[in-house]
Amino acid sequence: MEYLRIGLITRPHGVHGALKVQPLSEDLTRYKGLREAYLERGGAYEKVEVSDVSVQPDAVYMTISVCRDRNTAETLRNHYISVDREHAVKLPEGRYFVEDMIGCDVYDTNGAYYGKLTDVLETGANDVYVIQGEKQLMVPALRKLLKEVDVANKRIELYADVLAEVGLFED
């Protein structure tokens, strides 16, 4: 089964095992209907029931079935809450899960190969794609830069002229 991370547990919330979770999804409404998820712990995924979800501007607060007190909640700091692919939100056309983009080969419209997409940094204004090849390349995730994203074939094509303006190569 394939899993997608949707939240990072940052700390306990209260004394009864509730958790403060940093959302990893742009669509905060997705958490309101969350009833089951997976706790990623020690490389394994444990199915958990989710309840008492509260979506706030700074975080999502929730209770999971394996956590009923503050001490247990404390041990879950920096663990991820995930969902299986079947229960992931459906993305609109032109939007992709970061997990699907990681590992894509990156080319420009002139056919130049830059390497593989290894990370996507969330900066607030625009995400930044990190591409590792002979040199590291960092580019903002702009619609005007992306000619094509083909996650099925693990290929991303960037407009060469826009890349020349916005790309930042490692020295």
Side-chain angles (χ1 to χ4, degrees), residues 15-118:
V15 295
H16 299 292
L19 304 167
K20 180 178 181 183
V21 177
Q22 176 187 345
L24 300 178
S25 175
E26 291 176 7
D27 180 11
L28 295 182
T29 61
R30 72 126 22 255
Y31 298 95
K32 291 181 180 177
L34 192 62
R35 297 292 171 255
E36 66 181 37
Y38 293 86
L39 174 63
E40 187 179 335
R41 185 165 35 178
Y45 294 87
E46 181 180 354
K47 191 172 187 174
V48 295
E49 292 178 22
V50 178
S51 61
D52 302 321
V53 176
S54 172
V55 177
Q56 302 298 319
D58 67 325
V60 175
Y61 297 89
M62 67 176 65
T63 301
I64 60 174
S65 55
V66 297
C67 186
R68 293 292 176 213
D69 60 62
R70 185 175 182 87
N71 291 337
T72 304
E74 195 64 54
T75 68
L76 298 179
R77 280 183 192 260
N78 299 314
H79 286 76
Y80 289 97
I81 299 289
S82 301
V83 294
D84 59 29
R85 173 117 9 214
E86 182 181 326
H87 294 98
V89 295
K90 305 302 179 226
L91 296 177
E93 189 171 331
R95 302 294 300 261
Y96 309 93
F97 290 114
V98 170
E99 290 85 353
D100 293 338
M101 295 180 72
I102 300 294
C104 284
D105 290 310
V106 181
Y107 298 85
D108 71 16
T109 50
N110 294 332
Y113 176 70
Y114 292 96
K116 291 192 179 293
L117 183 79
T118 58

